[in-house]
Amino acid sequence: MKIKRKYIAVLLVATMLSGCAARTAQDTVKYTELYESTIFAMDTVMDLQIYGEQSMLDEAEELIFGLERLLSVTNVNSEIYRLNHEGRAELSDDTAKLLEQALELCERTDGALDITIYPAVRAWGFTTGDYRVPDSGELAEILENVDYTGVSLEGTSAALPDGMEVDLGSVAKGYTSTSVLDMLRAKGVTSALLNLGGNVHALGSKPDGSVWRVGVRDPESSEMIGAVEIRNEAVITSGGYERYFEQDGVTYWHIIDPSTAAPARSGLVSVSIISENGTLADAFSTALFVMGLDDAAEFWRESDDFEAIFVTEDDKLYITEGLEDSFTPLGRFEDERVEVLRRD
Ligand code: AMP
Ligand code: MG
């Protein structure tokens, strides 16, 4: 589905302001003409900007719609739907590859990311919009089927124990942007920016060699909390504000703690991950939201493949030290102290 740009402009969070780094003489820029489109896929608005050729933009859209058809939990023709309903499925290479990566990331986060969370996501009504608060008995029953170690994947053959269902919603967009950029890179593209519903992923720098500057949304409003300068990286955010409902004065959001089957209340309201690996950035934005600030900071200290930005319920902004030179606070944080998390 195509959307006219002017209607969705307000939804886009990526801002591209000019950067300053110069391209070296050895770099050859083959493509300088911008091709862009806005599509609706994976339940969100996607904005694609590719310095390349029209055929590449067409191929990028096809790739996205193709992955959506494979990975959707609600489309009765998807591979994930089949796996969930038949308990086993022969998967395409793409679905098997993502499932394998997702299981590794579940393990690395010690189950803060758990792709078998789907029965909980459904029980709270996040798949249909028929929101409800399940009682503790129902949640306890659901928890019996939440355990990613029960998923079996051998080559491209996947199987689930009775009652278990998977949901790749926490990683699908990061995997998708990575796949599109890999395809473009292989065709010689050196500049592209994808915004998949606020999850931004850049290929290279802008054609003039300057960095991409990406806005990070304020979970409290449609303003920015800051901008981060990137090259060849993804900036992926998980926030309670993305999908939620309120009942009796309590807000319930779509990021679920796999140890309770209830919305994660960790003291964080948004987590952004910056990494060259889009799938990892998407997985960790969800997982670190579940962990909460202290465990997330410890997890980052033990890692060397991402940086992070955290906003807490009590309105504090934290960045990891690798972002000190590339992050600029904006909006309500412009004149506030930004806490920098350090490795030692
Ligand atoms: P994201 O927007 O990337 O944080 O992904 C959130 C989506 O992932 C939710 O809408 C659920 O479908 C699913 N999800 C929620 N909590 C978890 C979790 N702890 N582990 C894995 N997937 C989750
Ligand atoms: Mg995610």
PDB file of all heavy atoms in Angstrom, residues 278-296:
ATOM      1  N   GLY A 278      21.272  -4.527  12.676  1.00  0.00           N
ATOM      2  CA  GLY A 278      19.887  -4.083  12.861  1.00  0.00           C
ATOM      3  C   GLY A 278      19.047  -5.072  13.653  1.00  0.00           C
ATOM      4  O   GLY A 278      18.210  -4.676  14.472  1.00  0.00           O
ATOM      5  N   THR A 279      19.257  -6.367  13.419  1.00  0.00           N
ATOM      6  CA  THR A 279      18.460  -7.372  14.131  1.00  0.00           C
ATOM      7  C   THR A 279      18.783  -7.329  15.621  1.00  0.00           C
ATOM      8  O   THR A 279      17.897  -7.363  16.476  1.00  0.00           O
ATOM      9  CB  THR A 279      18.755  -8.786  13.565  1.00  0.00           C
ATOM     10  OG1 THR A 279      18.718  -8.712  12.138  1.00  0.00           O
ATOM     11  CG2 THR A 279      17.755  -9.803  14.059  1.00  0.00           C
ATOM     12  N   LEU A 280      20.079  -7.214  15.907  1.00  0.00           N
ATOM     13  CA  LEU A 280      20.520  -7.134  17.306  1.00  0.00           C
ATOM     14  C   LEU A 280      19.965  -5.861  17.960  1.00  0.00           C
ATOM     15  O   LEU A 280      19.478  -5.890  19.096  1.00  0.00           O
ATOM     16  CB  LEU A 280      22.054  -7.148  17.340  1.00  0.00           C
ATOM     17  CG  LEU A 280      22.762  -6.989  18.675  1.00  0.00           C
ATOM     18  CD1 LEU A 280      24.082  -7.796  18.651  1.00  0.00           C
ATOM     19  CD2 LEU A 280      23.087  -5.534  18.977  1.00  0.00           C
ATOM     20  N   ALA A 281      20.000  -4.740  17.233  1.00  0.00           N
ATOM     21  CA  ALA A 281      19.506  -3.473  17.792  1.00  0.00           C
ATOM     22  C   ALA A 281      18.029  -3.597  18.133  1.00  0.00           C
ATOM     23  O   ALA A 281      17.567  -3.145  19.192  1.00  0.00           O
ATOM     24  CB  ALA A 281      19.743  -2.329  16.814  1.00  0.00           C
ATOM     25  N   ASP A 282      17.263  -4.242  17.255  1.00  0.00           N
ATOM     26  CA  ASP A 282      15.827  -4.401  17.483  1.00  0.00           C
ATOM     27  C   ASP A 282      15.587  -5.325  18.687  1.00  0.00           C
ATOM     28  O   ASP A 282      14.789  -5.019  19.585  1.00  0.00           O
ATOM     29  CB  ASP A 282      15.172  -4.967  16.217  1.00  0.00           C
ATOM     30  CG  ASP A 282      13.685  -4.687  16.171  1.00  0.00           C
ATOM     31  OD1 ASP A 282      13.137  -4.154  17.160  1.00  0.00           O
ATOM     32  OD2 ASP A 282      13.055  -5.016  15.149  1.00  0.00           O
ATOM     33  N   ALA A 283      16.316  -6.432  18.727  1.00  0.00           N
ATOM     34  CA  ALA A 283      16.162  -7.386  19.839  1.00  0.00           C
ATOM     35  C   ALA A 283      16.509  -6.719  21.166  1.00  0.00           C
ATOM     36  O   ALA A 283      15.780  -6.857  22.158  1.00  0.00           O
ATOM     37  CB  ALA A 283      17.076  -8.591  19.611  1.00  0.00           C
ATOM     38  N   PHE A 284      17.603  -5.991  21.186  1.00  0.00           N
ATOM     39  CA  PHE A 284      18.063  -5.428  22.456  1.00  0.00           C
ATOM     40  C   PHE A 284      17.228  -4.225  22.891  1.00  0.00           C
ATOM     41  O   PHE A 284      17.137  -3.948  24.090  1.00  0.00           O
ATOM     42  CB  PHE A 284      19.551  -5.058  22.375  1.00  0.00           C
ATOM     43  CG  PHE A 284      20.469  -6.263  22.353  1.00  0.00           C
ATOM     44  CD1 PHE A 284      21.845  -6.114  22.245  1.00  0.00           C
ATOM     45  CD2 PHE A 284      19.970  -7.553  22.453  1.00  0.00           C
ATOM     46  CE1 PHE A 284      22.690  -7.213  22.227  1.00  0.00           C
ATOM     47  CE2 PHE A 284      20.809  -8.667  22.426  1.00  0.00           C
ATOM     48  CZ  PHE A 284      22.172  -8.490  22.309  1.00  0.00           C
ATOM     49  N   SER A 285      16.621  -3.504  21.960  1.00  0.00           N
ATOM     50  CA  SER A 285      15.765  -2.395  22.409  1.00  0.00           C
ATOM     51  C   SER A 285      14.606  -2.974  23.230  1.00  0.00           C
ATOM     52  O   SER A 285      14.260  -2.448  24.289  1.00  0.00           O
ATOM     53  CB  SER A 285      15.261  -1.552  21.230  1.00  0.00           C
ATOM     54  OG  SER A 285      14.385  -2.293  20.414  1.00  0.00           O
ATOM     55  N   THR A 286      14.061  -4.084  22.791  1.00  0.00           N
ATOM     56  CA  THR A 286      12.975  -4.735  23.527  1.00  0.00           C
ATOM     57  C   THR A 286      13.499  -5.351  24.832  1.00  0.00           C
ATOM     58  O   THR A 286      12.932  -5.138  25.907  1.00  0.00           O
ATOM     59  CB  THR A 286      12.343  -5.846  22.651  1.00  0.00           C
ATOM     60  OG1 THR A 286      12.086  -5.322  21.347  1.00  0.00           O
ATOM     61  CG2 THR A 286      11.064  -6.376  23.258  1.00  0.00           C
ATOM     62  N   ALA A 287      14.604  -6.081  24.732  1.00  0.00           N
ATOM     63  CA  ALA A 287      15.118  -6.819  25.900  1.00  0.00           C
ATOM     64  C   ALA A 287      15.601  -5.879  27.004  1.00  0.00           C
ATOM     65  O   ALA A 287      15.344  -6.120  28.189  1.00  0.00           O
ATOM     66  CB  ALA A 287      16.253  -7.741  25.465  1.00  0.00           C
ATOM     67  N   LEU A 288      16.292  -4.801  26.630  1.00  0.00           N
ATOM     68  CA  LEU A 288      16.827  -3.907  27.668  1.00  0.00           C
ATOM     69  C   LEU A 288      15.716  -3.103  28.328  1.00  0.00           C
ATOM     70  O   LEU A 288      15.833  -2.715  29.498  1.00  0.00           O
ATOM     71  CB  LEU A 288      17.932  -2.998  27.104  1.00  0.00           C
ATOM     72  CG  LEU A 288      19.348  -3.630  27.167  1.00  0.00           C
ATOM     73  CD1 LEU A 288      19.457  -4.899  26.354  1.00  0.00           C
ATOM     74  CD2 LEU A 288      20.419  -2.633  26.755  1.00  0.00           C
ATOM     75  N   PHE A 289      14.617  -2.899  27.605  1.00  0.00           N
ATOM     76  CA  PHE A 289      13.431  -2.281  28.216  1.00  0.00           C
ATOM     77  C   PHE A 289      12.927  -3.187  29.349  1.00  0.00           C
ATOM     78  O   PHE A 289      12.577  -2.710  30.430  1.00  0.00           O
ATOM     79  CB  PHE A 289      12.345  -2.098  27.153  1.00  0.00           C
ATOM     80  CG  PHE A 289      11.165  -1.286  27.603  1.00  0.00           C
ATOM     81  CD1 PHE A 289      11.023   0.028  27.204  1.00  0.00           C
ATOM     82  CD2 PHE A 289      10.181  -1.837  28.424  1.00  0.00           C
ATOM     83  CE1 PHE A 289       9.931   0.786  27.623  1.00  0.00           C
ATOM     84  CE2 PHE A 289       9.094  -1.088  28.850  1.00  0.00           C
ATOM     85  CZ  PHE A 289       8.968   0.232  28.443  1.00  0.00           C
ATOM     86  N   VAL A 290      12.914  -4.482  29.088  1.00  0.00           N
ATOM     87  CA  VAL A 290      12.459  -5.446  30.107  1.00  0.00           C
ATOM     88  C   VAL A 290      13.427  -5.475  31.289  1.00  0.00           C
ATOM     89  O   VAL A 290      13.018  -5.532  32.449  1.00  0.00           O
ATOM     90  CB  VAL A 290      12.328  -6.868  29.481  1.00  0.00           C
ATOM     91  CG1 VAL A 290      12.069  -7.925  30.547  1.00  0.00           C
ATOM     92  CG2 VAL A 290      11.226  -6.893  28.421  1.00  0.00           C
ATOM     93  N   MET A 291      14.740  -5.404  31.007  1.00  0.00           N
ATOM     94  CA  MET A 291      15.757  -5.524  32.074  1.00  0.00           C
ATOM     95  C   MET A 291      15.716  -4.380  33.076  1.00  0.00           C
ATOM     96  O   MET A 291      16.010  -4.570  34.254  1.00  0.00           O
ATOM     97  CB  MET A 291      17.163  -5.533  31.447  1.00  0.00           C
ATOM     98  CG  MET A 291      17.512  -6.795  30.720  1.00  0.00           C
ATOM     99  SD  MET A 291      19.200  -6.628  30.051  1.00  0.00           S
ATOM    100  CE  MET A 291      19.193  -7.934  28.840  1.00  0.00           C
ATOM    101  N   GLY A 292      15.419  -3.168  32.598  1.00  0.00           N
ATOM    102  CA  GLY A 292      15.536  -2.007  33.476  1.00  0.00           C
ATOM    103  C   GLY A 292      16.950  -1.451  33.425  1.00  0.00           C
ATOM    104  O   GLY A 292      17.881  -2.126  32.974  1.00  0.00           O
ATOM    105  N   LEU A 293      17.110  -0.223  33.909  1.00  0.00           N
ATOM    106  CA  LEU A 293      18.361   0.507  33.711  1.00  0.00           C
ATOM    107  C   LEU A 293      19.595  -0.213  34.264  1.00  0.00           C
ATOM    108  O   LEU A 293      20.602  -0.336  33.565  1.00  0.00           O
ATOM    109  CB  LEU A 293      18.248   1.907  34.327  1.00  0.00           C
ATOM    110  CG  LEU A 293      19.475   2.791  34.102  1.00  0.00           C
ATOM    111  CD1 LEU A 293      19.669   3.115  32.630  1.00  0.00           C
ATOM    112  CD2 LEU A 293      19.360   4.076  34.919  1.00  0.00           C
ATOM    113  N   ASP A 294      19.537  -0.683  35.489  1.00  0.00           N
ATOM    114  CA  ASP A 294      20.749  -1.244  36.107  1.00  0.00           C
ATOM    115  C   ASP A 294      21.224  -2.502  35.384  1.00  0.00           C
ATOM    116  O   ASP A 294      22.398  -2.623  35.034  1.00  0.00           O
ATOM    117  CB  ASP A 294      20.515  -1.546  37.594  1.00  0.00           C
ATOM    118  CG  ASP A 294      20.351  -0.256  38.389  1.00  0.00           C
ATOM    119  OD1 ASP A 294      20.677   0.820  37.847  1.00  0.00           O
ATOM    120  OD2 ASP A 294      19.872  -0.332  39.532  1.00  0.00           O
ATOM    121  N   ASP A 295      20.300  -3.427  35.149  1.00  0.00           N
ATOM    122  CA  ASP A 295      20.695  -4.666  34.462  1.00  0.00           C
ATOM    123  C   ASP A 295      21.088  -4.371  33.018  1.00  0.00           C
ATOM    124  O   ASP A 295      22.003  -4.995  32.478  1.00  0.00           O
ATOM    125  CB  ASP A 295      19.550  -5.689  34.486  1.00  0.00           C
ATOM    126  CG  ASP A 295      19.382  -6.294  35.870  1.00  0.00           C
ATOM    127  OD1 ASP A 295      20.196  -5.977  36.767  1.00  0.00           O
ATOM    128  OD2 ASP A 295      18.414  -7.061  36.062  1.00  0.00           O
ATOM    129  N   ALA A 296      20.391  -3.416  32.388  1.00  0.00           N
ATOM    130  CA  ALA A 296      20.708  -3.070  30.999  1.00  0.00           C
ATOM    131  C   ALA A 296      22.111  -2.463  30.918  1.00  0.00           C
ATOM    132  O   ALA A 296      22.887  -2.779  30.004  1.00  0.00           O
ATOM    133  CB  ALA A 296      19.674  -2.096  30.446  1.00  0.00           C
TER     134      ALA A 296
END
